[in-house]
Amino acid sequence: MTQNSEIAIVGMGPTGVTLANLLANRGLSVAIFEKQSKPYALPRAVHFDGEVMRIFQSIGLGSEMSDTSRVNIGMLFKDLDSNILIDWSRSQTIGPMGWYESYRFHQPDLETVLQNGLYRFSNVKTFYNSAVRKISDDGENVTIELESGERHTSQFLIGCDGAQSNVREFLNEELVDLGFMQKWLVIDLILKNDRPDLGNHTVQICDPNSPMTYVRGTGKRRRWEMRLTDETVSKISVEDVWNKLVKWISPDDAEIERSAIYTFKSSLVKKWSRGNVFLAGDAAHLMPPFMGQGMCAGIRDVANLAWKLAAVINGADKAILNTYESERSPNVREFIDLTVRLGQIINQTSKSQKETTKMESILPSLGPGLGLRDNIEGHLAPQFLSIESDKADDLNPNGFYPLSNQKNGIKLKGVEPWLNENNITSALVRPDGYILETVSKNKMQNNINYRFDSKNNDLIKAVPSRKFIG
Ligand SMILES: Cc1cc2nc3c(=O)[nH]c(=O)nc-3n(C[C@H](O)[C@H](O)[C@H](O)COP(=O)(O)OP(=O)(O)OC[C@H]3O[C@@H](n4cnc5c(N)ncnc54)[C@H](O)[C@@H]3O)c2cc1C
C-alpha cells in the first residue's frame, strides 16, 4: 500500500501541533488532521512549566514562547480569612531545566506560535475541516477515512484528538475515572484599569461552600474560576457573572472576554496504544486545572513518543515503542493524583491553621522503560550551560548526549558537582531530557538493542540520521 506520510496525527490542539513540530524537526513526513476550520480560539490553559519550555526549545520555539509568556510568581492557597495555608511560590531565577520554573500564557498565543512553527517545514501537511471518522490498521500501515470520504495512509497514527477522542474509541479504550468530577465556571476578563491590589500570585480560596481560583494572566488578562454548586447549571448570564465577581471586580475595571462552564475530571486510559496507533494528550488523560498540568502532560507525552517513532522509522527495534505507555503512564498519574489532592484541599479547608506549608513543584520520574532504573535513570537531567552560556540541549540538537567530566568534550558549568552529588561518573541524556543511563567509564548496560557511539554522541540504531532544522 502506498503511504501518504510516515506519520498521521489527528487533532491540532497543543499536543498534536507540538508532536508535528517534533517529528518534522527530525525529518519525518507528517500529515495532521483537524476537524475544525481553524485552531480552537478559546483560552483554556494558562500555565506551563520549565520542562515544557525545554521541549519548546527543542523544536526551536523557546524564545518565541518566552516572548509571549510571563514568568509565574506562584500560587497561594488561602482560607476565608486570607491566611495563607500553602505557599507554592516559584523561583524567579533560571532553574534546572535551563528555563524558569513556571510560566503564564494565553493558550491561543501559544497555539499560534506552535502552528507558525509548522510553516518552517515542507515535510508537514496540515488539513483543516478534516474530521477523521474511520481508522484501520493492517499491521503494516494505518489508513484513516475522513468525513469527506478521502483516505490517507501512514506507518503510524497518533490520536491527539482531545477528551472526546475518536482514536481512543477505535482502540476500544475508555478513560478510567480516577474520582474527581466537578462543574466549574471559568471567567476570563481583560482589565480596563490597573488593579495591582489583585496581586500577581494565583490564589486558591479554599472553601467547602464556594471554592475559587484567581489567576494573574499575561498582560491585562485575569481569570476567576469558581465551583458551581448546582451541577445542573449549563449556562450563566452576564449579570450573574458580575454578581459572582462582586467581591473582587466590577464592569468599571474590566470587560468579560468570555465565560464558560467546564466539568473538571480526573481520568487515565489503561492502554495507550494498539498496533501502530497511539494516544497522547487529553485523549489519554484528564485532570482538573488546579496545578496547570493537563496540557503540560500532553506535551511531555509527545516529547517521549516523537524520538522513539523517529528511531523506529529509521530502523530501531519497534519494541522501543512499548516503553511509551510504561514510561508515561506513572509520570502523568503523579500529576493527576497531586492535582486531585490539591482539589480536595481547595474544596474542604475552612478552618484557619497557624502555619503556612511551603510547597515545592514535583518532577516525577518516568515509569519503567528504556534502560535500567538503578539510580537517577528515568529522572529529568538538568540542562547545564556552557562557559559561553549556550544551553546544553542546543549544543546536541535532537540527540543523546553525555554529561561527564571528560576534558575533551564541551565544558558545561555545574556538571562536576552534580555528578558527585549523584555518585556517578557520567550520565547519558535522552532527546526528551530524561536520563537514560548513568555510566562509569567503560560500562554501558542496557536492555534493548542499542549501542552508544561516543564519537557522534548518538545511540546507534536508535537515533534518526536525517536532517534537523537547518
Ligand atoms: C479551564 C481550563 C484551564 C486549564 N488550564 C491549564 C493550564 O493552566 N495548564 C495546562 O497544562 N493545562 C490546562 N488545561 C488543560 C489543557 O487545556 C488541555 O489539557 C489541552 O488543551 C489538551 O490539549 P490536546 O491537544 O491534547 O487536546 P485539545 O486541545 O482538546 O485538541 C484536540 C483537537 O482535536 C480535534 N479533533 C477531535 N476529534 C477529531 C477528529 N475526529 N478528527 C480531527 N480532529 C479532531 C479537536 O477539534 C481539537 O482541536 C486547562 C483546561 C481547562 C478546561
Side-chain angles (χ1 to χ4, degrees):
M1 195 180 293
T2 323
Q3 259 181 29
N4 302 102
S5 68
E6 286 166 313
I7 310 275
I9 300 171
V10 187
M12 286 192 76
T15 307
V17 185
T18 303
L19 177 60
N21 275 284
L22 284 159
L23 294 168
N25 197 23
R26 290 181 170 275
L28 301 192
S29 66
V30 179
I32 178 163
F33 299 88
E34 168 56 53
K35 68 177 175 188
Q36 309 289 348
S37 57
K38 51 182 187 325
Y40 189 67
L42 296 181
R44 287 175 292 166
V46 287
H47 165 267
F48 66 78
D49 59 28
E51 180 189 355
V52 166
M53 187 56 127
R54 187 177 180 180
I55 296 167
F56 294 144
Q57 175 198 342
S58 78
I59 49 177
L61 298 176
S63 55
E64 279 94 333
M65 284 303 178
S66 182
D67 290 347
T68 56
S69 48
R70 172 175 209 283
V71 178
N72 180 26
I73 189 167
M75 188 181 277
L76 303 173
F77 292 69
K78 294 186 177 178
D79 67 13
L80 289 173
D81 300 323
S82 287
N83 298 306
I84 299 173
L85 308 172
I86 302 174
D87 177 354
W88 188 14
S89 287
R90 313 295 171 85
S91 163
Q92 295 298 290
T93 54
I94 297 290
M97 293 301 104
W99 294 93
Y100 290 98
E101 190 180 336
S102 163
Y103 294 85
R104 288 266 167 236
F105 68 99
H106 180 53
Q107 189 167 347
D109 292 345
L110 173 134
E111 294 196 28
T112 302
V113 171
L114 289 172
Q115 266 142 19
N116 288 344
L118 293 181
Y119 299 137
R120 296 171 298 171
F121 304 107
S122 56
N123 45 334
V124 181
K125 297 217 169 0
T126 52
F127 299 89
Y128 286 103
N129 290 316
S130 299
V132 172
R133 67 163 188 198
K134 268 195 194 155
I135 303 166
S136 58
D137 180 357
D138 66 9
E140 287 284 311
N141 291 298
V142 186
T143 300
I144 53 174
E145 192 179 304
L146 304 179
E147 233 140 55
S148 62
E150 272 173 70
R151 285 159 173 254
H152 183 100
T153 299
S154 57
Q155 190 168 341
F156 294 105
L157 173 87
I158 325 302
C160 304
D161 49 344
Q164 312 301 329
S165 172
N166 283 32
V167 179
R168 192 178 63 228
E169 222 168 83
F170 163 76
L171 293 182
N172 238 335
E173 278 297 316
E174 278 175 15
L175 285 169
V176 178
D177 178 12
L178 297 176
F180 191 96
M181 193 176 303
Q182 285 180 0
K183 259 192 183 178
W184 281 62
L185 170 67
V186 179
I187 308 161
D188 284 321
L189 297 185
I190 301 187
L191 292 181
K192 294 195 253 181
N193 300 311
D194 271 355
R195 284 288 308 272
D197 57 303
L198 291 171
N200 289 328
H201 274 91
T202 297
V203 181
Q204 305 281 6
I205 308 279
C206 306
D207 177 359
N209 300 316
S210 182
M212 197 217 79
T213 308
Y214 158 76
V215 181
R216 200 282 191 211
T218 51
K220 293 186 179 305
R221 293 180 192 284
R222 303 291 182 273
R223 171 177 288 182
W224 274 264
E225 300 176 356
M226 304 170 183
R227 182 174 172 196
L228 291 174
T229 36
D230 182 355
E231 295 281 325
T232 58
V233 173
S234 60
K235 241 183 165 179
I236 231 150
S237 70
V238 172
E239 200 189 347
D240 278 349
V241 168
W242 285 118
N243 284 341
K244 284 181 181 291
L245 292 172
V246 74
K247 272 199 261 171
W248 298 279
I249 198 157
S250 74
D252 292 341
D253 279 347
E255 60 188 342
I256 299 173
E257 188 181 28
R258 62 162 204 136
S259 68
I261 294 172
Y262 287 99
T263 304
F264 295 164
K265 291 182 189 160
S266 61
S267 50
L268 180 60
V269 84
K270 267 200 193 130
K271 280 211 65 61
W272 292 49
S273 67
R274 201 181 70 209
N276 298 311
V277 179
F278 296 78
L279 297 173
D282 275 18
H285 42 72
L286 293 174
M287 66 186 89
F290 307 128
M291 285 179 79
Q293 281 294 340
M295 180 197 78
C296 296
I299 290 181
R300 278 189 259 274
D301 293 345
V302 292
N304 183 296
L305 184 60
W307 66 267
K308 293 176 183 172
L309 286 170
V312 169
I313 284 178
N314 285 288
D317 187 338
K318 215 173 167 183
I320 195 176
L321 294 171
N322 297 336
T323 65
Y324 168 57
E325 172 189 311
S326 67
E327 290 189 340
R328 283 298 308 138
S329 192
N331 179 284
V332 72
R333 182 72 200 244
E334 283 203 40
F335 282 105
I336 296 174
D337 289 349
L338 182 54
T339 300
V340 170
R341 282 210 299 281
L342 292 177
Q344 282 157 356
I345 292 172
I346 298 164
N347 274 279
Q348 282 171 9
T349 311
S350 60
K351 277 183 270 144
S352 296
Q353 66 182 49
K354 291 223 173 64
E355 275 167 32
T356 302
T357 307
K358 276 260 173 212
M359 178 167 154
E360 298 286 337
S361 300
I362 56 165
L363 292 173
S365 60
L366 298 173
L370 280 181
L372 302 173
R373 298 279 196 271
D374 277 352
N375 188 339
I376 51 168
E377 299 89 354
H379 289 255
L380 273 166
Q383 179 171 213
F384 294 100
L385 297 181
S386 73
I387 307 295
E388 291 78 25
S389 291
D390 293 317
K391 290 183 161 65
D393 295 358
D394 287 342
L395 297 170
N396 305 277
N398 279 330
F400 294 80
Y401 64 92
L403 293 171
S404 73
N405 285 328
Q406 277 166 16
K407 300 282 175 273
N408 51 358
I410 298 165
K411 264 256 167 260
L412 296 171
K413 291 183 273 187
V415 171
E416 197 164 342
W418 178 77
L419 291 170
N420 291 338
E421 209 176 281
N422 290 293
N423 241 351
I424 50 175
T425 56
S426 55
L428 189 58
V429 184
R430 313 180 346 169
D432 51 16
Y434 287 82
I435 297 166
L436 177 68
E437 297 275 0
T438 53
V439 284
S440 56
K441 236 182 205 155
N442 300 314
K443 190 171 145 230
M444 176 86 192
Q445 291 173 317
N446 58 56
N447 62 0
I448 61 147
N449 185 21
Y450 59 71
R451 185 159 61 81
F452 186 55
D453 170 8
S454 54
K455 213 167 89 206
N456 297 313
N457 286 348
D458 253 3
L459 284 190
I460 291 175
K461 282 205 90 178
V463 149
S465 54
R466 286 190 251 169
K467 282 184 252 100
F468 307 130
I469 302 172

